[in-house]
Amino acid sequence: MSPLPEDLDLITLRRQLDTRIIGAMLMRYERVASTNDIARERARNGYPEGLVVLTEEQSAGRGRLGRTWVSAYGDALLLSILLRPVWLPPGEAFSLTMIAGVALCEAVEHVASVRAHLKWPNDLLLFVDGKWRKSAGILTEVSVNGDTLEWAVVGMGVNVNQAPDSTINGRNLQQTATCISAAAGQRISRTSLLEALLTTLDERYAQIRSGERAALFDAWRARLMHMGEPVTVTLPGGELHGIAEDVVPDGTLLLRDATGVLHAVHTGDVGF
């Protein structure tokens, strides 16, 4: 019999968490449609930045490109963080996604002692059964008023102790997805991982607020897999094949095709 899902110990977490902004308020639900939806509503209602919305299960969790995010009850970290980076130019909003990706990698390595990478632009990759597989996704949504970034909601779905075993929209998740415990070879405490994640997010958020955005970009770029390698990018209108040459600070992927043309890819899904 598999162990019962571990409850998130928010009482202990509040006592141990030593952050300046992220995690200033924690809200936990049993089941919701989407934590991003709740965080967006709270943003519009004036809640302060640093709010973290958590749930054990989502009925309408979503990832990038309109995809559905699937996870088992009590075995994942499903959360959204409300930020109010009014000091950040809207054109640099992707740095919030960079923060989340880098912080997640650092938290996983700290708690699970496994190497973590990113698939452009923000999927967590872990090495399991001889290949790199996806273990988490990030979805950032923002509200812009003129030249001001009013608020941002950074949603994260992390497979901690169980990988999805279903097929959705033709994607066999058993072939591409994994969980942190599979990579680590042992069950992982969700409370410990959440504490490490919120702590690292707080540190990285302070980093870009103080103007150290180049350092964040370098850290994100260093985590990206497949730079300099052949990749296929699925776009809304088809596929693009070529070498992933580099990325730029706004998150754009630079891909050179077989004819030598350099393409700037802003949105897509990288396959390899």
Side-chain angles (χ1 to χ4, degrees):
M1 180 181 297
S2 61
L4 292 173
E6 167 223 358
D7 286 332
L8 284 172
D9 186 354
L10 297 191
I11 295 176
T12 298
L13 179 63
R14 288 189 179 97
R15 184 170 60 246
Q16 296 181 170
L17 193 63
D18 183 20
T19 56
R20 286 179 286 184
I21 295 176
I22 309 298
M25 181 182 297
L26 303 173
M27 303 179 69
R28 176 183 173 274
Y29 297 85
E30 284 294 308
R31 293 176 176 86
V32 299
S34 163
T35 57
N36 263 34
D37 290 348
I38 293 175
R40 288 205 321 270
E41 179 187 0
R42 299 296 187 267
R44 297 185 185 111
N45 289 335
Y47 276 63
E49 71 171 350
L51 166 69
V52 178
V53 178
L54 298 143
T55 190
E56 296 292 351
E57 188 175 36
Q58 295 183 125
S59 61
R62 59 187 183 275
R64 293 177 60 250
L65 307 177
R67 289 176 171 169
T68 301
W69 183 266
V70 178
S71 58
Y73 178 92
D75 277 318
L77 277 182
L78 306 171
L79 68 152
S80 296
I81 303 107
L82 170 61
L83 301 172
R84 295 190 181 277
V86 294
W87 38 267
L88 186 67
E92 298 181 28
F94 186 75
S95 61
L96 302 175
T97 300
M98 289 185 193
I99 288 172
V102 172
L104 183 55
C105 286
E106 292 173 339
V108 168
E109 290 181 346
H110 175 72
V111 172
S113 299
V114 297
R115 184 62 177 160
H117 285 284
L118 295 170
K119 180 168 74 74
W120 179 86
N122 55 12
D123 288 342
L124 177 71
L125 296 180
L126 301 176
F127 197 71
V128 177
D129 296 333
K131 65 183 293 187
W132 290 94
R133 298 171 181 265
K134 179 178 176 178
S135 181
I138 299 164
L139 177 65
T140 302
E141 299 175 298
V142 302
S143 175
V144 177
N145 184 5
D147 295 329
T148 302
L149 187 56
E150 288 187 309
W151 52 260
V153 169
V154 180
M156 308 175 76
V158 187
N159 297 329
V160 181
N161 287 309
Q162 183 173 324
D165 58 0
S166 57
T167 298
I168 292 198
N169 297 331
R171 294 180 296 136
N172 186 345
L173 301 183
Q174 287 181 302
Q175 300 298 317
T176 59
T178 191
C179 60
I180 299 172
S181 64
Q186 61 181 348
R187 192 167 179 84
I188 301 299
S189 165
R190 291 191 301 152
T191 304
S192 297
L193 180 61
L194 179 59
E195 179 184 356
L197 175 58
L198 298 184
T199 298
T200 310
L201 279 168
D202 193 68
E203 294 168 353
R204 289 291 183 178
Y205 190 56
Q207 181 183 40
I208 65 163
R209 189 165 190 170
S210 65
E212 300 178 41
R213 293 167 204 170
L216 172 66
F217 171 70
D218 290 343
W220 173 73
R221 185 183 184 280
R223 293 280 181 179
L224 292 176
M225 294 281 289
H226 314 301
M227 289 294 101
E229 299 178 5
V231 299
T232 297
V233 181
T234 302
L235 305 171
E239 292 185 341
L240 184 62
H241 306 272
I243 303 296
E245 284 202 353
D246 208 348
V247 286
V248 295
D250 69 356
T252 299
L253 172 67
L254 302 180
L255 183 146
R256 193 174 300 277
D257 67 22
T259 68
V261 175
L262 188 65
H263 300 262
V265 182
H266 304 288
T267 301
D269 184 49
V270 170
F272 46 89

